[in-house]
Amino acid sequence: MRKPANTVELKIDSGRDQPRQKLLTAARQVFAEVGFRAATVREICARAEQNVAAVNYHFGDKFGLYAETLKHETVFNEEMADRELGALAPKEALRTFIVRVFRSFGSADRPAFYTQVMMHELAAPSEGLSAVLDQVIRPRVQVLEKIVGLLIELPPAHPKTRLCVLSITGQIAHYVNSRALISSIWPEWKLNSEDLNEVANHIADYSLAALQTVKRDFSQAASRTRKTR
Amino acid sequence: MRKPANTVELKIDSGRDQPRQKLLTAARQVFAEVGFRAATVREICARAEQNVAAVNYHFGDKFGLYAETLKHETVFNEEMADRELGALAPKEALRTFIVRVFRSFGSADRPAFYTQVMMHELAAPSEGLSAVLDQVIRPRVQVLEKIVGLLIELPPAHPKTRLCVLSITGQIAHYVNSRALISSIWPEWKLNSEDLNEVANHIADYSLAALQTVKRDFSQAASRTRKTR
DNA sequence: ATCCGATTCAAACAGTTGTTTTAAACTATC
DNA sequence: GATAGTTTAAAACAACTGTTTGAATCGGAT
């Protein structure tokens, strides 16, 4: 035991690092299920069929494994998605964006890794939050700001654009964050991928209708003070 | 030490149970901050200026304290609020409902207890989830179903009503669940109570516009199959 | 076959957790 | 004021955590 890895060590002989890969996939499972803090290296090692010391040997410590886990899944293609969506009319761009995000959540019984990790990070933030934020959230928000800006004819950075973007992302995130709650309130609601597709289209319809009204109303009566009583 | 409380024991001599109350308020703080699992009885007892054994003596075990904590805050006046909303026109009822929920979240620096506990429960559910669900969530969802049903002229139990309700609750919940994320993306966005009031009114405007379109569109073309491409 | 570094393993370590124990302090009643 | 029941307090317990240790094992170059 001489070089217990803190320097990341490129490792191009990737054919022969089964333990690392097994640890990574097991870790992704466990971190997604219970979050960083509640995850135990013993559980991870058990699933990966590795010794308890393997995590510290290969990744330095528990958080090193977590960070590697977050890094590894970053094979997203924002530019392509951006270009692709830019070619569509804004209305259809919004709809396909929503449908695509929903699809990336995975099915009801097998939600995607980032989806679950983000929930844990939001409830009990660790150092990993900013990584997920930079790599997954921020780019998508920028795409949405652009689309919504076109739809309501306001700049992407306008406060009203931001509110509308959050109205959309809020609707989407709800089916991730509160899935347990929804299933508990409406037990017959299965939320399989077909259902989620219907939900995605509902959100698109709902938001397109709202955005059209925003476009119409917001331009002139920008500063309407409303009493909340 | 003879009767270490598992039978709840009404305790009407409430003037003299400082330790219990101090434990409960300290526990609410800690549970809200880090969730049930990550909370430690030592931290709770330290804040309550009580001995470590106090939790087990007064509440049986850690979860007994948690359950009592959840039970105790249920002195809400939902019924009154419900009756009050029924007297308003549906549009204004929706707006005041949203504003009121936002207000119950507390200000930015001091979010309400249930709000934070629910986040932790959703990310890492414990036995306490169903309690919060029954006492806080379900009643409010029913109120919303009624209002939205009136607005889109569909029964409260209709699937489309459900989707619209979730579109509204999703927008609201987003400012709770993802507050850390929002503050990180738009650091200048302070989200004080004035901001939140503006957000609440935006959500009302946004949703009223969408619901009007739903009412218009949904009645005739109920089963429109849409290709997602 | 031999050697040396890299890897694996069982065991142990140090710290934290919820809970229990045991005795002391308190409180109200006779 | 003595006494029985209730409450507090310090300490210890057992289980679990991430991490380290040091020896055993492996795999390829000599």
Side-chain angles (χ1 to χ4, degrees), chain A residues 154-185:
Chain A
L154 285 176
H158 192 280
K160 190 65 178 178
T161 309
R162 180 198 305 163
L163 284 171
C164 291
V165 165
L166 285 172
S167 282
I168 296 170
T169 58
Q171 290 177 73
I172 298 172
H174 207 213
Y175 287 86
V176 183
N177 296 328
S178 310
R179 192 198 295 269
L181 199 145
I182 293 171
S183 300
S184 186
I185 297 185

Side-chain angles (χ1 to χ4, degrees), chain B residues 49-61:
Chain B
E49 295 168 316
Q50 296 294 313
N51 189 271
V52 220
V55 163
N56 301 283
Y57 179 77
H58 288 288
F59 301 96
D61 59 4

Side-chain angles (χ1 to χ4, degrees), chain A residues 2 4 52 54 67 70 89 110 113 139 157 204 222:
Chain A
R2 201 45 52 83
V52 222
L70 293 179
R110 185 168 285 284
F113 167 64

